[in-house]
Coordinates of all heavy atoms in Angstrom, one line a residue:
G1 N 144.6 63.6 90.6 CA 144.2 63.6 92.0 C 142.9 64.3 92.3 O 141.8 63.8 92.1
R2 N 142.9 65.5 92.7 CA 141.6 66.2 92.9 C 141.3 67.1 91.8 O 142.1 67.5 91.0 CB 141.8 67.1 94.1 CG 142.9 68.2 94.0 CD 143.1 69.0 95.3 NE 144.2 69.9 95.3 CZ 144.1 71.1 94.7 NH1 143.0 71.5 94.0 NH2 145.2 71.8 94.5
C3 N 140.0 67.4 91.7 CA 139.4 68.1 90.5 C 138.4 69.2 90.9 O 137.4 69.3 90.3 CB 138.8 67.3 89.5 SG 140.0 66.1 88.7
S4 N 138.7 69.8 92.0 CA 137.7 70.8 92.6 C 137.4 72.0 91.6 O 136.3 72.4 91.4 CB 138.2 71.4 93.9 OG 139.4 72.0 93.8
G5 N 138.5 72.5 91.0 CA 138.4 73.5 90.0 C 137.6 73.1 88.8 O 136.6 73.8 88.3
G6 N 137.9 71.9 88.3 CA 137.0 71.4 87.2 C 135.7 71.2 87.5 O 134.7 71.4 86.7
F7 N 135.4 70.7 88.7 CA 134.0 70.4 89.1 C 133.2 71.7 89.3 O 132.1 71.8 88.7 CB 134.0 69.7 90.5 CG 132.7 69.3 91.0 CD1 131.9 68.5 90.2 CD2 132.2 69.8 92.3 CE1 130.5 68.2 90.7 CE2 131.0 69.5 92.7 CZ 130.1 68.6 92.0
D8 N 133.8 72.7 89.8 CA 133.2 74.1 89.9 C 132.9 74.6 88.6 O 131.8 75.2 88.3 CB 134.0 75.0 90.7 CG 134.2 74.6 92.2 OD1 133.4 73.9 92.6 OD2 135.1 75.1 92.8
R9 N 133.8 74.5 87.6 CA 133.7 75.0 86.3 C 132.6 74.2 85.5 O 131.8 74.8 84.8 CB 135.0 75.0 85.5 CG 134.9 75.6 84.1 CD 136.2 76.3 83.7 NE 137.3 75.2 84.0 CZ 138.2 75.5 84.8 NH1 138.3 76.5 85.6 NH2 139.2 74.5 85.0
L10 N 132.5 72.9 85.8 CA 131.5 72.1 85.2 C 130.1 72.5 85.6 O 129.2 72.7 84.9 CB 131.7 70.6 85.3 CG 130.6 69.7 84.9 CD1 130.5 69.8 83.4 CD2 131.0 68.2 85.3
V11 N 130.0 72.8 86.9 CA 128.7 73.1 87.5 C 128.2 74.6 87.0 O 127.1 74.7 86.6 CB 128.8 73.3 89.0 CG1 127.5 73.9 89.6 CG2 129.0 71.9 89.6
Q12 N 129.2 75.4 86.7 CA 128.9 76.7 86.2 C 128.4 76.5 84.7 O 127.6 77.3 84.3 CB 130.2 77.6 86.2 CG 129.9 79.0 85.6 CD 131.2 79.8 85.7 OE1 132.2 79.5 86.3 NE2 131.1 81.0 84.9
R13 N 129.1 75.7 83.9 CA 128.7 75.4 82.5 C 127.3 74.9 82.5 O 126.4 75.2 81.7 CB 129.8 74.5 81.9 CG 131.0 75.1 81.6 CD 130.9 76.4 80.7 NE 130.3 76.1 79.5 CZ 130.8 75.6 78.4 NH1 132.1 75.2 78.5 NH2 130.1 75.5 77.4
M14 N 127.0 74.0 83.4 CA 125.6 73.3 83.5 C 124.6 74.4 83.8 O 123.4 74.4 83.2 CB 125.5 72.2 84.5 CG 126.4 71.0 84.3 SD 125.5 69.9 83.2 CE 124.3 69.2 84.2
D15 N 125.0 75.4 84.6 CA 124.0 76.4 85.0 C 123.9 77.4 83.8 O 122.8 77.9 83.6 CB 124.5 77.2 86.2 CG 123.5 78.0 86.8 OD1 122.5 77.6 87.1 OD2 123.6 79.4 86.8
E16 N 124.8 77.5 82.9 CA 124.7 78.3 81.8 C 123.7 77.8 80.8 O 122.9 78.5 80.2 CB 126.1 78.6 81.2 CG 127.0 79.5 82.0 CD 128.4 79.5 81.4 OE1 128.7 78.8 80.5 OE2 129.3 80.2 81.9
V17 N 123.8 76.4 80.7 CA 122.9 75.8 79.7 C 121.4 75.9 80.3 O 120.5 76.2 79.6 CB 123.2 74.3 79.6 CG1 122.2 73.5 78.9 CG2 124.6 74.2 79.0
R18 N 121.3 75.7 81.6 CA 120.0 76.0 82.3 C 119.4 77.4 82.0 O 118.2 77.5 81.6 CB 120.0 75.7 83.8 CG 118.7 76.0 84.6 CD 119.0 76.1 86.0 NE 119.7 77.2 86.4 CZ 119.3 78.5 86.5 NH1 118.1 78.7 86.2 NH2 120.2 79.5 86.8
V19 N 120.3 78.3 82.2 CA 119.8 79.7 81.9 C 119.4 79.8 80.4 O 118.4 80.5 80.1 CB 121.0 80.8 82.3 CG1 120.6 82.1 81.8 CG2 121.1 80.7 83.8
A20 N 120.1 79.2 79.5 CA 119.9 79.4 78.1 C 118.4 78.8 77.8 O 117.6 79.3 77.0 CB 120.9 78.7 77.3
L21 N 118.1 77.6 78.5 CA 116.9 77.0 78.3 C 115.7 77.8 78.9 O 114.6 77.9 78.4 CB 116.9 75.6 78.9 CG 117.7 74.5 78.1 CD1 117.7 73.1 78.7 CD2 117.2 74.3 76.6
E22 N 116.0 78.5 80.0 CA 115.0 79.3 80.6 C 114.7 80.5 79.7 O 113.6 81.0 79.6 CB 115.5 79.8 82.0 CG 115.4 78.7 83.0 CD 115.6 79.3 84.5 OE1 116.1 80.5 84.6 OE2 115.1 78.7 85.5
H23 N 115.8 81.0 79.1 CA 115.6 82.2 78.1 C 114.6 81.6 77.0 O 113.6 82.5 76.6 CB 116.8 82.6 77.5 CG 116.7 83.5 76.4 ND1 116.3 84.8 76.6 CD2 116.9 83.4 75.0 CE1 116.3 85.5 75.4 NE2 116.6 84.6 74.4
V24 N 114.7 80.5 76.5 CA 113.9 79.9 75.5 C 112.4 79.8 76.1 O 111.4 80.2 75.3 CB 114.3 78.5 75.0 CG1 113.3 78.0 74.0 CG2 115.6 78.6 74.3
S25 N 112.2 79.4 77.3 CA 111.0 79.3 77.9 C 110.3 80.7 78.0 O 109.0 80.7 77.9 CB 111.1 78.7 79.3 OG 109.9 78.5 80.0
E26 N 111.1 81.7 78.3 CA 110.5 83.0 78.5 C 110.0 83.5 77.0 O 109.0 84.2 76.9 CB 111.6 84.0 79.0 CG 111.8 83.9 80.5 CD 110.5 84.2 81.3 OE1 109.9 85.2 80.9 OE2 110.3 83.4 82.2
E27 N 110.8 83.1 76.0 CA 110.4 83.5 74.7 C 109.1 82.9 74.2 O 108.4 83.4 73.3 CB 111.7 83.4 73.7 CG 112.8 84.2 73.9 CD 112.5 85.7 73.7 OE1 111.8 86.1 72.7 OE2 112.9 86.5 74.6
L28 N 108.9 81.8 74.8 CA 107.7 81.0 74.4 C 106.4 81.8 74.7 O 105.3 81.5 74.1 CB 107.7 79.6 75.0 CG 108.6 78.5 74.5 CD1 108.5 77.3 75.3 CD2 108.6 78.4 73.0
R29 N 106.5 82.8 75.6 CA 105.4 83.5 76.0 C 104.8 84.3 74.8 O 103.6 84.7 74.8 CB 105.6 84.4 77.2 CG 106.0 83.7 78.4 CD 106.6 84.9 79.5 NE 106.9 84.3 80.8 CZ 106.1 84.1 81.8 NH1 104.8 84.5 81.6 NH2 106.4 83.6 82.9
H30 N 105.6 84.7 73.9 CA 105.3 85.4 72.8 C 105.0 84.6 71.5 O 104.8 85.2 70.4 CB 106.4 86.4 72.4 CG 107.0 87.1 73.5 ND1 106.3 87.9 74.3 CD2 108.3 87.1 74.1 CE1 107.0 88.4 75.4 NE2 108.3 87.9 75.2
L31 N 105.0 83.2 71.7 CA 104.7 82.4 70.5 C 103.5 81.4 70.7 O 103.2 81.3 71.9 CB 106.0 81.5 70.2 CG 107.2 82.2 69.9 CD1 108.4 81.3 69.7 CD2 107.1 83.1 68.5
L32 N 103.0 81.0 69.7 CA 101.9 80.0 69.7 C 102.4 78.7 68.9 O 103.0 78.8 67.9 CB 100.6 80.4 69.1 CG 99.9 81.6 69.9 CD1 98.8 82.1 69.1 CD2 99.5 81.1 71.2
P33 N 101.9 77.5 69.5 CA 102.3 76.2 68.7 C 101.7 76.3 67.3 O 100.6 76.7 67.2 CB 101.6 75.2 69.5 CG 101.5 75.7 70.9 CD 101.2 77.3 70.6
T34 N 102.4 75.9 66.3 CA 101.9 75.9 65.0 C 101.2 74.6 64.7 O 101.3 73.7 65.5 CB 103.0 76.1 63.9 OG1 103.9 75.0 64.0 CG2 103.7 77.4 64.2
R35 N 100.5 74.5 63.7 CA 99.7 73.2 63.4 C 100.6 72.1 63.3 O 100.4 70.9 63.8 CB 98.9 73.4 62.1 CG 98.1 72.1 61.8 CD 97.5 72.4 60.4 NE 96.7 71.0 59.9 CZ 95.4 70.9 60.0 NH1 94.7 72.1 60.5 NH2 94.9 69.9 59.6

């Protein structure tokens, strides 16, 4: 029937992945592309 709890949890998990990618983006400030 309804899946409101599952939907909320999925949105939270998506946001966690976003935060993880943002962390990588922040770490790139300290790195340079290699050849």
Side-chain angles (χ1 to χ4, degrees):
R2 57 185 177 83
C3 293
S4 58
F7 182 57
D8 292 342
R9 188 152 43 248
L10 177 60
V11 173
Q12 181 178 351
R13 293 298 307 279
M14 293 281 287
D15 194 56
E16 290 172 358
V17 175
R18 178 194 63 79
V19 170
L21 291 178
E22 284 194 341
H23 172 71
V24 175
S25 183
E26 286 296 317
E27 291 297 313
L28 292 182
R29 294 175 180 270
H30 311 297
L31 299 173
L32 292 173
T34 64
R35 180 187 179 103

